[in-house]
């Protein structure tokens, strides 16, 4: 099944699955970037801000992003079983799990952005 194309004969479940796979792909891409960017932000903080507490928070964020990235990759590998669901309870299990991941991703990115803003504010002092 091609994940980025929707067809007239796709069921609602198939459309939902495709959208979930695409969303997950975006999350993984975003977290990959966050891990890479965190390394650069950490160097900036160490070289320009000299704020140990902020550097420590950036390091924690980098580690947290890498850990969450691994969790999302494991989740991606497990949702292949979603295609095999034959009843509502199975579909709901994966739907609820995806919603949990969405909420976790939203919170993670909010904390990440706040930390970046704190770094930028420190640089601009």
């Amino acid at each position: 099944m091609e994940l980025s194309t929707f067809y007239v004969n796709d069921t609602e479940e198939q459309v939902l699955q495709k959208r979930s796979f695409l969303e997950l792909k975006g999350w993984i891409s975003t977290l990959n970037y966050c891990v890479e960017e965190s390394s650069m932000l950490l160097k900036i903080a160490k070289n320009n801000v000299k704020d140990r507490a902020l550097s420590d928070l950036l390091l924690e964020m980098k580690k947290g992003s890498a850990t969450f990235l691994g969790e999302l990759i494991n989740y991606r590998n497990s949702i292949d079983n979603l295609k095999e669901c034959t009843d509502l309870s199975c579909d709901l299990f994966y739907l609820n799990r995806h919603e949990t991941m969405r909420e976790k991703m939203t919170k993670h990115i909010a904390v990440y952005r706040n930390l970046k803003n704190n770094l930028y504010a420190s640089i601009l002092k």
Side-chain angles (χ1 to χ4, degrees), residues 81-94:
N81 297 331
L82 175 61
K83 297 174 191 172
E84 305 301 321
C85 282
T86 57
D87 61 12
L88 182 60
S89 64
C90 180
D91 286 333
L92 286 176
F93 170 79
Y94 285 102

Side-chain angles (χ1 to χ4, degrees), residues 2-98:
E2 190 175 329
L3 295 178
S4 61
T5 303
F6 297 99
Y7 300 102
V8 174
N9 60 342
D10 282 346
T11 64
E12 287 182 44
E13 290 83 14
Q14 289 171 320
V15 170
L16 183 61
Q17 288 174 5
K18 288 178 183 182
R19 290 177 70 190
S20 294
F21 284 124
L22 288 171
E23 186 174 38
L24 179 57
K25 184 179 176 181
W27 295 341
I28 290 171
S29 175
T30 298
L31 278 178
N32 269 320
Y33 180 77
C34 287
V35 170
E36 292 173 16
E37 184 182 40
S38 292
S39 294
M40 292 181 280
L41 294 173
L42 189 55
K43 288 177 186 175
I44 290 170
K46 287 180 179 179
N47 293 335
N48 298 311
V49 179
K50 310 276 193 251
D51 181 343
R52 178 72 177 174
L54 185 56
S55 294
D56 289 346
L57 287 172
L58 285 164
L59 182 58
E60 286 179 38
M61 180 55 69
K62 179 181 176 184
K63 290 177 182 178
S65 293
T67 299
F68 188 35
L69 177 61
E71 189 178 334
L72 284 178
I73 290 170
N74 287 337
Y75 169 60
R76 179 189 61 197
N77 295 338
S78 74
I79 62 172
D80 283 338
N81 297 331
L82 175 61
K83 297 174 191 172
E84 305 301 321
C85 282
T86 57
D87 61 12
L88 182 60
S89 64
C90 180
D91 286 333
L92 286 176
F93 170 79
Y94 285 102
L95 179 63
N96 288 329
R97 190 164 176 216
H98 191 80

Side-chain angles (χ1 to χ4, degrees), residues 16 37 42 54-55 70 72 75 81 93 95 101-102 106 111-114 119-120 123 125:
L16 183 61
E37 184 182 40
L42 189 55
L54 185 56
S55 294
L72 284 178
Y75 169 60
N81 297 331
F93 170 79
L95 179 63
M101 289 296 184
R102 177 184 289 120
T106 300
V111 170
Y112 182 77
R113 287 177 177 163
N114 187 46
L119 173 63
Y120 296 146
I123 291 171
K125 281 184 183 177

